[in-house]
Amino acid sequence: MTSCFNGSAGWPEPVVRVQAVSDTCGDTIPERYVKPLSERPSLSPAAADAAGGGQNIPVVDLSMPDADATSEAVAAACREWGFFQAVNHGVRPELLRSARAAWRGFFRQPAEVRERYANSPATYEGYGSRLGTAKGGPLDWGDYYFLHLLPPSLKSHDKWPSLPASLRETTEEYGEEVVQLCRRVMRLLSTGLGLEAGRLQAAFGGEGGEGACMRVNFYPRCPQPELTLGVAAHSDPGGMTMLLVDDHVRGLQVRSPGDGKWITVDPVPDAFIVNIGDQIQVLSNAAYKSVEHRVSVSAAEDRLSMAFFYNPRSDLPIAPMPELVAPGRPALYPEMTFDEYRVFIRQRGLAGKAQLQSLQAKAAAAAAPADDPAAGGSPSSS
């Protein structure tokens, strides 16, 4: 099969591009991409209606003149759903379309052009097709490109694709505008917790001290979309995600806070889908929820999305903010840097909310009396 590279780049086995699999597999996908029955998506309209019940994640208009009302709407969405769609957010619609078009152009380049940027598990930066380094592990139906934007010391345009010619300049402009939007939403999240507007940003390292990176996802057409996923169920390990989805193909599914069933999000045109990551769940002491989500794929069309990850400074200790800890509300998570936290993801790949639940179990065990039989028990779902 064309378009693969071997483990000399640090992967435990040859990596095959899903675009190549899609082009050559005929009507049957390889076994490595088939998910267990319990993890497969429900793609029929009837099944989707039964699972989602017509629900959709909240929509928040960020142009509302009442700042308190905006903060309350954002906070309510993040407490219940961990997700909302931001409309009238201030990032120009023409820039959204230009960014999507530029990255579609990259994934349409010949394989030998894309392979110049093949990544390794050391940093994941570049063109990739898998997460996790376990040999023989399950694979998702998607390729991606991962790049850094902040801090400036990690950003290198030389590691960004040079084709199409507009990509680097467009991505730079897009990144600058989305960072400003992230900082604005952080202020709304802080006031929604009853804190000073800059408190959550300070916990990230302050403006200029935070991290930002982007993963552009490309999900090729799949002959058996009912058997696989573009991205397996997970919560985002970072702070907050600004997701720009495909403008004509649905795919994002979110676990409903009510019954735990999966709902397929109906995107609002030119909106960002904003979701809380694990680090903000930790800092807020679980007031804001980092919620599981996954991506289904299509038999008819390719799909592209752009996930912008806004993170705390990687070496800064992250723990529940003291203002949100009280005798009746102990700290639910131990202190850990984001660098330490994401080692788990890079080694094991996406695994639901396993890492966050593991941290909560450690905190509960540390807080329990030594003779308490519950000290070693499993954490409740958060």
Side-chain angles (χ1 to χ4, degrees):
M1 186 175 291
T2 61
S3 188
C4 67
F5 63 99
N6 62 36
S8 62
W11 300 104
E13 56 195 341
V15 176
V16 179
R17 303 304 180 196
V18 178
Q19 277 182 273
V21 178
S22 176
D23 290 342
T24 60
C25 70
D27 295 332
T28 305
I29 65 174
E31 189 66 26
R32 288 283 298 277
Y33 297 94
V34 176
K35 301 298 182 185
L37 187 61
S38 62
E39 298 176 16
R40 295 176 192 173
S42 297
L43 299 178
S44 70
D49 288 344
Q55 290 180 305
N56 200 7
I57 61 175
V59 177
V60 179
D61 185 346
L62 295 186
S63 69
M64 289 190 292
D66 187 336
D68 289 340
T70 307
S71 178
E72 289 171 7
V74 167
C78 294
R79 288 177 186 275
E80 181 179 7
W81 284 88
F83 272 82
F84 66 94
Q85 297 197 62
V87 299
N88 298 319
H89 44 65
V91 181
R92 294 173 290 115
E94 58 269 24
L95 180 57
L96 306 183
R97 295 169 195 143
S98 296
R100 269 192 299 240
W103 281 100
R104 280 192 180 279
F106 168 75
F107 285 102
R108 289 173 180 152
Q109 296 296 315
E112 58 268 22
V113 173
R114 288 179 270 125
E115 288 302 331
R116 295 173 191 166
Y117 302 97
N119 71 353
S120 80
T123 66
Y124 281 89
E125 192 169 13
Y127 177 49
S129 299
R130 64 178 293 168
L131 293 173
T133 55
K135 188 173 183 178
L139 298 174
D140 291 335
W141 192 266
D143 300 322
Y144 64 85
Y145 202 102
F146 182 82
L147 55 86
H148 291 286
L149 293 112
L150 290 175
S153 60
L154 291 181
K155 182 172 68 176
S156 172
H157 284 181
D158 291 339
K159 296 180 181 179
W160 298 8
S162 60
L163 293 173
S166 64
L167 186 145
R168 290 179 178 176
E169 181 179 355
T170 301
T171 300
E172 180 70 28
E173 184 179 3
Y174 178 84
E176 289 173 357
E177 293 208 18
V178 178
V179 164
Q180 293 305 315
L181 176 58
C182 289
R183 289 171 177 170
R184 181 183 173 200
V185 173
M186 290 283 280
R187 293 192 290 272
L188 295 170
L189 290 169
S190 280
T191 55
L193 291 168
L195 305 175
E196 292 294 327
R199 179 65 180 91
L200 195 56
Q201 188 73 57
F204 267 44
E207 291 191 6
E210 71 272 69
C213 51
M214 186 165 71
R215 174 176 151 145
V216 184
N217 304 294
F218 185 77
Y219 307 107
R221 287 172 292 179
C222 177
Q224 295 178 297
E226 72 280 2
L227 298 183
T228 191
L229 290 166
V231 179
H234 66 288
S235 62
D236 288 349
M240 176 173 60
T241 304
M242 290 278 174
L243 180 68
L244 181 65
V245 297
D246 197 286
D247 52 357
H248 61 286
V249 184
R250 298 193 314 168
L252 176 66
Q253 297 184 328
V254 174
R255 196 179 286 282
S256 167
D259 54 19
K261 293 180 179 178
W262 292 102
I263 67 163
T264 299
V265 175
D266 284 318
V268 176
D270 296 327
F272 278 104
I273 296 176
V274 185
N275 67 277
I276 296 298
D278 293 350
Q279 305 307 302
I280 287 183
Q281 176 164 328
V282 170
L283 285 165
S284 71
N285 207 24
Y288 293 145
K289 303 297 189 292
S290 175
V291 171
E292 278 188 285
H293 50 286
R294 65 186 188 183
V295 176
S296 63
V297 293
S298 169
E301 298 182 85
D302 300 331
R303 180 175 179 271
L304 181 136
S305 69
M306 300 173 61
F308 191 96
F309 302 115
Y310 189 72
N311 301 322
R313 199 181 80 197
S314 63
D315 61 349
L316 198 65
I318 299 296
M321 291 185 286
E323 302 95 319
L324 304 178
V325 176
R329 180 66 170 172
L332 298 177
Y333 311 98
E335 185 177 272
M336 178 179 286
T337 69
F338 184 43
D339 269 340
E340 294 167 335
Y341 189 89
R342 62 186 169 187
V343 165
F344 175 90
I345 305 297
R346 289 179 171 173
Q347 290 176 345
R348 291 187 51 184
L350 301 174
K353 296 195 69 171
Q355 172 70 334
L356 203 58
Q357 290 169 346
S358 173
L359 285 181
Q360 191 169 345
K362 289 179 181 178
D371 58 351
D372 184 347
S378 299
S380 61
S381 178
S382 57

